[in-house]
Amino acid sequence: MNIVTLGSGHVATQLSKALYSLGHEIQQVYSKTSANACALAEVLSANYTSDLTTISRDADLYIIAVSDQAIDSIVSQLPNNLPGIIVHCSGATSSAVLDKFSHYGVIYPAQSIRKDIEIHLDQIPFAVEASDQQTARVLMENMKRLSPSTFTCSSAQRLALHTAAVFANNFSNALFQISYDILQAHELPFELLRPMILETAKKVQNHKPSSVQTGPALRGDSLTIEKHLQFLSENPQWLKIYQQLTEEISSQREK
């Protein structure tokens, strides 16, 4: 396929490089910052532009891989009669944002991706949504070559997946940082928790998370919980988070 990549960030970089490695031609890279477009295009042996009016009109696939806030702006500046399939890569944006085009869809990677960290996209599930059966067939055939875990879904299912991913990834990482800060304040290394974090992640690969839950909230250990609350009393934000998560775990115990 001849592909135009719109974006030069984390997902745009990793997805374009992966598709290029499969033999697809990345015809053009767009970024509002010319230097960023040039840097990515150089890796992909592609042309580049920072002007949407000069976007190629003969590509098979246009991948809009930008922040959710930027999708509408880019779509509004693209011509309605682009001949190829136009997709975005957002987990939370409806495919309907692309409905001015004849053939459109979504390819959403259910993974946190950074362009400066090596990642194997063939191990990542990709959620595919399409405007029609023919478009779905083309997207599935090509994305299955990249990742065997590619699957079709609706916008509602994709939003559910994205929301769940925020809980599993973004929120858990924020909690790791709180743990890090607590330990640093008491001259203890974060390395002390890394084996526990890895063991927890390992357990949920083969078990329902609630079935391997541990800790004072699950045990109903009010004495320990009170000690933790007193310890956190000088940081109201962390105290609030601890209370809310304790209530959530306790509710699981009561079910």
Side-chain angles (χ1 to χ4, degrees):
M1 297 182 80
N2 293 324
I3 299 171
V4 170
T5 298
L6 296 110
S8 59
H10 301 301
V11 174
T13 296
Q14 294 284 21
L15 184 55
S16 295
K17 288 168 66 175
L19 291 170
Y20 179 69
S21 71
L22 289 176
H24 296 290
E25 178 187 351
I26 309 301
Q27 190 177 101
Q28 188 181 46
V29 174
Y30 160 82
S31 176
K32 64 180 181 180
T33 304
S34 183
N36 292 344
C38 178
L40 180 55
E42 197 170 281
V43 174
L44 303 169
S45 301
N47 296 317
Y48 71 93
T49 183
S50 58
D51 181 358
L52 282 171
T53 65
T54 64
I55 286 294
S56 172
R57 303 295 182 93
D58 60 354
D60 301 311
L61 178 65
Y62 296 80
I63 301 176
I64 303 174
V66 297
S67 67
D68 287 21
Q69 296 89 335
I71 293 175
D72 278 334
S73 176
I74 287 180
V75 169
S76 68
Q77 296 177 71
L78 292 175
N80 296 9
N81 60 348
L82 288 175
I85 299 170
I86 294 82
V87 300
H88 68 63
C89 302
S90 167
T93 303
S94 171
S95 63
V97 71
L98 304 173
D99 65 6
K100 77 174 193 177
F101 305 110
S102 298
H103 304 286
Y104 60 90
V106 180
I107 48 175
Y108 163 60
Q111 179 60 279
S112 178
I113 295 174
R114 291 190 60 85
K115 62 182 176 182
D116 55 345
I117 298 177
E118 183 180 358
I119 191 167
H120 299 287
L121 295 188
D122 58 348
Q123 299 174 16
I124 295 174
F126 278 83
V128 168
E129 187 179 345
S131 57
D132 55 84
Q133 290 186 350
Q134 173 63 13
T135 300
R137 183 186 65 78
V138 172
L139 291 178
M140 285 296 293
E141 283 181 358
N142 284 280
M143 293 308 298
K144 278 279 190 180
R145 288 185 59 208
L146 177 60
S147 170
S149 299
T150 296
F151 65 100
T152 58
C153 70
S154 66
S155 283
Q157 288 174 317
R158 179 164 43 82
L159 179 59
L161 175 59
H162 189 262
T163 305
V166 168
F167 273 95
N169 180 51
N170 306 130
F171 289 173
S172 63
N173 194 66
L175 295 176
F176 295 155
Q177 184 60 47
I178 292 174
S179 297
Y180 179 95
D181 291 341
I182 290 171
L183 292 174
Q184 286 288 295
H186 291 79
E187 300 181 350
L188 291 167
F190 186 64
E191 282 72 20
L192 294 172
L193 292 184
R194 287 197 165 114
M196 182 185 296
I197 291 169
L198 289 174
E199 180 62 21
T200 299
K202 182 179 176 181
K203 285 176 181 175
V204 299
Q205 302 305 309
N206 299 299
H207 300 278
K208 181 181 176 181
S210 61
S211 71
V212 292
Q213 182 70 58
T214 61
L218 187 72
R219 298 192 302 269
D221 185 350
S222 57
L223 182 61
T224 298
I225 291 171
E226 184 57 37
K227 289 179 180 178
H228 290 170
L229 293 174
Q230 291 176 6
F231 176 82
L232 293 168
S233 60
E234 293 184 2
N235 191 313
Q237 185 65 20
W238 293 354
L239 179 65
K240 183 178 179 181
I241 292 170
Y242 184 98
Q243 289 173 319
Q244 289 178 328
L245 290 177
T246 295
E247 289 173 8
E248 174 61 27
I249 296 170
S250 295
S251 71
Q252 295 176 4
R253 173 170 56 87
E254 295 164 3
K255 290 178 181 178

